[in-house]
């Protein structure tokens, strides 16, 4: 990938049906891991990787996302004496320039990325799916930037149990150099028993602007949606695509149990909550 990727697209336009009823009024991406919205984690990961401009793709009814990034001078004034809280109130929008585009119709992830075309312009960019939370330093996006060869595109992957691989995009790889695999083909949500491997795509991508033309000519695929995975299959005709196995644990914040697990593990790692979280988990385990 060319040295400097400055922009990241964060698709956040989905209906969040697995989190109903809360998603009637709260966008899924603002649900917390402990006390921080998922969206904040991925913006922090982008900033750590050197991204300066974040483009969030939202949909009608999810105005709360833009609201989250707005400055709150009223709160800042009230909390002026408490440096720790003040820092938390300010941190939302300070990490990057955050802008928004609206996907008017739910036509799929590939279409959501295409909606950001004008905002990205003619330069390489990252895509980060906010319900894939990856705990690691350096972040997954940084790791991909370091690993991806010049003039190539890449996706993050991890090995998953074969029985769940049909839930994901899956790559077929040609050769591999440690954790970097040259992709030979990829498929979105292969029917059970047909996946070419158990290397599933995790929501991090480094892409050239040429992918937009590919997405323009991508027909609806799995779930009758325009899939990013299918757009990448077209991109591969001209651009080498690599699959990066990253270091770190991926949490699936896309469903309630995954989010609960992420919260618990996060609470165990954080100095201010470790003791109470350990006691809670022991107490709950003793009741089983
Ligand atoms: C999306 C992508 C899929 C990828 C997954 C990772 O699927 O389409 O290729 O494996 O994210 O979380 P979704 O979770 O929207 O079904």
């Amino acid at each position: 990938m060319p040295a400097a990727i400055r922009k990241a697209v964060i698709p956040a336009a989905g209906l969040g049906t697995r989190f109903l009823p809360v998603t009637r009024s709260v966008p899924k991406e603002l649900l917390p891991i402990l006390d921080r919205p998922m969206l904040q984690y991925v913006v922090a990961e982008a900033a750590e990787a050197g991204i300066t401009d974040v483009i969030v793709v939202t949909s009608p009814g999810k105005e709360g996302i833009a609201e989250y990034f707005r400055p709150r001078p009223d709160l800042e004034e009230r909390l002026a004496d408490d440096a720790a809280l003040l820092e938390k109130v300010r941190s939302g929008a300070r990490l990057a320039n955050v802008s928004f585009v609206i996907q008017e119709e739910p036509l799929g992830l590939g279409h959501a990325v295409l909606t950001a075309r004008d905002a990205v312009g003619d330069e390489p960019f990252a895509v980060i799916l906010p319900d894939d939370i990856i705990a690691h330093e350096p972040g997954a996006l940084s790791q991909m930037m370091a690993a991806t060869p010049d003039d190539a595109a890449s996706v993050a992957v991890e090995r998953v149990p074969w029985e769940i691989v049909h839930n994901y995009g899956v790559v077929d790889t040609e050769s591999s150099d440690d954790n970097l695999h040259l992709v030979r083909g990829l498929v979105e949500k292969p029917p059970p028993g047909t996946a070419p491997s158990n290397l599933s795509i995790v929501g991090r991508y480094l892409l050239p602007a040429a992918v937009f033309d590919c997405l323009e000519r991508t027909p609806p695929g799995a779930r009758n949606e325009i899939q990013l995975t299918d757009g990448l299959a077209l991109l591969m005709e001209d651009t080498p695509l690599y699959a990066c196995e990253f270091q770190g644990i991926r949490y699936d914040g896309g469903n309630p149990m995954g989010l609960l697990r992420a919260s618990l593990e996060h609470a165990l790692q954080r100095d201010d909550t470790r003791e109470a979280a350990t006691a809670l988990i022991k107490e709950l385990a003793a009741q089983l």
Side-chain angles (χ1 to χ4, degrees), residues 182-216:
L182 183 61
V183 177
R184 178 162 52 191
L186 65 177
V187 53
E188 181 67 21
K189 301 194 174 45
T194 67
S197 79
N198 65 339
L199 277 176
S200 76
I201 299 176
V202 176
R204 304 288 183 278
Y205 308 77
L206 298 182
L207 303 173
V211 75
F212 291 124
D213 281 342
C214 301
L215 289 169
E216 292 274 13

Side-chain angles (χ1 to χ4, degrees), residues 3-287:
I5 295 189
R6 301 181 303 129
K7 294 184 178 176
V9 174
I10 302 184
L15 295 175
T17 49
R18 276 177 286 183
F19 281 102
L20 279 169
V22 66
T23 42
R24 292 176 83 246
S25 61
V26 181
K28 174 181 74 174
E29 296 75 13
L30 295 183
L31 296 178
I33 292 176
L34 208 55
D35 52 5
R36 257 171 116 193
M38 282 192 272
L39 192 53
Q40 172 100 25
Y41 282 89
V42 292
V43 171
E45 184 186 325
E48 187 252 0
I51 300 286
T52 54
D53 292 80
V54 167
I55 300 142
V56 183
V57 182
T58 66
S59 55
K62 296 185 84 171
E63 292 74 21
I65 292 183
E67 187 72 27
Y68 177 76
F69 287 100
R70 243 167 242 143
R72 286 293 305 268
D74 55 329
L75 261 184
E76 286 183 31
E77 199 174 310
R78 280 179 171 217
L79 300 174
D81 296 339
D82 189 328
L85 281 182
L86 198 55
E87 169 61 25
K88 285 188 181 177
V89 168
R90 284 178 173 163
S91 64
R94 239 185 5 190
L95 299 167
N97 302 314
V98 183
S99 61
F100 303 91
V101 295
I102 298 198
Q103 183 190 25
E104 295 290 346
E105 285 181 280
L107 298 179
L109 177 60
H111 181 265
V113 172
L114 187 54
T115 309
R117 180 174 200 157
D118 288 348
V120 170
D122 190 21
E123 58 182 286
F125 64 103
V127 174
I128 311 180
L129 306 189
D131 50 15
D132 281 338
I133 302 292
I134 301 169
H136 198 270
E137 281 177 30
L141 208 58
S142 285
Q143 296 177 44
M144 289 170 72
M145 286 186 183
T148 306
D150 286 353
D151 300 323
S154 62
V155 294
V157 292
E158 71 172 0
R159 290 202 186 273
V160 296
W162 283 92
E163 56 275 20
I164 61 166
V165 77
H166 61 273
N167 295 321
Y168 299 98
V170 182
V171 297
D172 183 14
T173 58
E174 200 154 277
S175 60
S176 97
D177 180 5
D178 289 326
N179 294 332
L180 191 68
H181 312 267
L182 183 61
V183 177
R184 178 162 52 191
L186 65 177
V187 53
E188 181 67 21
K189 301 194 174 45
T194 67
S197 79
N198 65 339
L199 277 176
S200 76
I201 299 176
V202 176
R204 304 288 183 278
Y205 308 77
L206 298 182
L207 303 173
V211 75
F212 291 124
D213 281 342
C214 301
L215 289 169
E216 292 274 13
R217 54 193 178 91
T218 300
R223 293 184 186 151
N224 207 24
E225 294 175 345
I226 296 171
Q227 296 291 349
L228 182 55
T229 303
D230 297 339
L232 297 187
L234 295 178
L235 180 74
M236 272 175 53
E237 291 170 7
D238 295 312
T239 304
L241 177 68
Y242 286 86
C244 299
E245 281 185 79
F246 55 89
Q247 308 265 311
I249 300 173
R250 168 210 178 227
Y251 296 107
D252 183 2
N255 70 77
M257 287 310 293
L259 194 63
L260 180 60
R261 180 182 181 135
S263 280
L264 286 173
E265 293 205 16
H266 191 66
L268 288 173
Q269 281 154 19
R270 229 164 79 173
D271 289 344
D272 61 333
T273 48
R274 186 178 303 113
E275 207 176 308
T278 306
L280 170 66
I281 291 167
K282 282 185 180 162
E283 190 186 323
L284 293 177
Q287 289 170 16

